[in-house]
Amino acid sequence: MGAVETLKKWIEESDNIVFFGGAGVSTESGIPDFRGEKGIYKTISEYGVSPETILSHTFFEHNKEVFFDYCRKNLIFKDAKPNAAHISLAKLEKIGKLKAVITQNIDNLHQKAGSENVLELHGTLYKNYCIKCGKKFDVDYLIKSDGVPKCDKCGGVVRPDVVLYEEGLDMSVVEKAVYYIQNADVLIVGGTSLAVYPAAGLINYYRGNKLVLINKSATNMDERADLCVHMNIGQVFERIMK
């Protein structure tokens, strides 16, 4: 039995599946990843500093104009549509098989596809808030603002609800992710090189014997997996859901 057929069988037999995904889940929707061959980190040079620097808390504090210009030009893909992976995961949740989607992505595509229990480890660009009074704003407010977006209530700076470099993850989200991973029967990890910590360390909480890694290239966790599938994640789910 091939790897995809084995995964299909495991999915058919389980009603306690958890999915943990990274940037590779969204590349098939036209959203570039960060560290890949054509990733954002290798293609942006107009700002004179690295994207990692721009997306840090320190840079945000001192260079808000550049930060927001970068976000608008390089991080927001409002027209991107969910691909086969997003759509399949939403279907699996709807029929009671998938308990949670844990994602490192900030693009809202899981929600667009219909997934409801989505744990966003790195936050989302699609929710924004005033750092002074806490008023919430949608992504359109950020897109349509000139320069640094300001709160229409108190005049404070409105920023995306994302985790920047130097900032800690939301521990309530992490705790929920740990709970679902610990209790999962099947844990499917897809579209991530498992190189970014602390998020990548979450799979250490898995206690089962059906750890599935779906990634185009090999990862440093392949040896630990019970099943490895080196294919595009959208293609894998298309075959499984037929």
Side-chain angles (χ1 to χ4, degrees), residues 31-75:
I31 297 178
D33 62 9
F34 284 82
R35 292 171 177 78
E37 202 176 315
K38 295 179 181 176
I40 291 170
Y41 285 178
K42 296 193 177 173
T43 55
I44 305 298
S45 58
E46 66 179 287
Y47 297 95
V49 291
S50 71
E52 290 103 322
T53 300
I54 294 171
L55 296 174
S56 68
H57 180 81
T58 300
F59 193 90
F60 170 77
E61 285 294 311
H62 296 100
N63 304 275
K64 289 183 176 66
E65 289 271 354
V66 176
F67 173 87
F68 283 105
D69 184 65
Y70 179 85
C71 282
R72 290 186 187 101
K73 288 180 180 175
N74 300 292
L75 295 185

Side-chain angles (χ1 to χ4, degrees), residues 130-146:
C130 172
I131 60 178
K132 192 173 174 185
C133 75
K135 183 176 176 182
K136 293 177 171 54
F137 297 88
D138 62 17
V139 70
D140 288 332
Y141 194 84
L142 190 155
I143 294 169
K144 292 172 182 173
S145 300
D146 290 324

Side-chain angles (χ1 to χ4, degrees), residues 79-144:
D79 296 331
K81 292 183 170 55
N83 60 53
H86 299 105
I87 293 163
S88 300
L89 290 164
K91 284 179 183 172
L92 289 172
E93 181 186 36
K94 197 170 184 180
I95 62 176
K97 287 187 167 292
L98 187 79
K99 299 306 178 195
V101 168
I102 302 160
T103 182
Q104 295 170 283
N105 297 335
I106 57 175
D107 54 37
N108 207 48
L109 286 180
H110 285 293
Q111 289 91 334
K112 267 190 184 177
S115 289
E116 293 185 14
N117 193 20
V118 182
L119 304 178
E120 296 169 309
L121 292 172
H122 296 152
T124 175
L125 283 165
Y126 288 77
K127 292 176 184 172
N128 296 266
Y129 66 94
C130 172
I131 60 178
K132 192 173 174 185
C133 75
K135 183 176 176 182
K136 293 177 171 54
F137 297 88
D138 62 17
V139 70
D140 288 332
Y141 194 84
L142 190 155
I143 294 169
K144 292 172 182 173

Side-chain angles (χ1 to χ4, degrees), residues 188-237:
I188 303 172
V189 180
T192 172
S193 59
L194 292 170
V196 179
Y197 285 82
L202 286 173
I203 72 166
N204 293 326
Y205 290 97
Y206 179 59
R207 299 164 173 169
N209 59 359
K210 293 186 179 77
L211 173 60
V212 183
L213 295 188
I214 307 171
N215 204 50
K216 279 201 297 188
S217 53
T219 77
N220 57 2
M221 296 279 191
D222 280 12
E223 287 181 8
R224 285 187 46 193
D226 300 293
L227 189 66
C228 283
V229 187
H230 292 146
M231 289 173 58
N232 283 340
I233 190 164
Q235 292 175 334
V236 173
F237 275 105

Side-chain angles (χ1 to χ4, degrees), residues 155-201:
V157 174
V158 174
R159 64 160 279 182
D161 194 3
V162 294
V163 180
L164 301 175
Y165 289 103
E166 304 166 349
E167 295 179 342
L169 301 184
D170 182 331
M171 287 315 295
S172 67
V173 176
V174 173
E175 284 164 15
K176 283 180 190 170
V178 168
Y179 168 80
Y180 281 109
I181 288 171
Q182 278 180 333
N183 291 285
D185 172 28
V186 180
L187 175 61
I188 303 172
V189 180
T192 172
S193 59
L194 292 170
V196 179
Y197 285 82

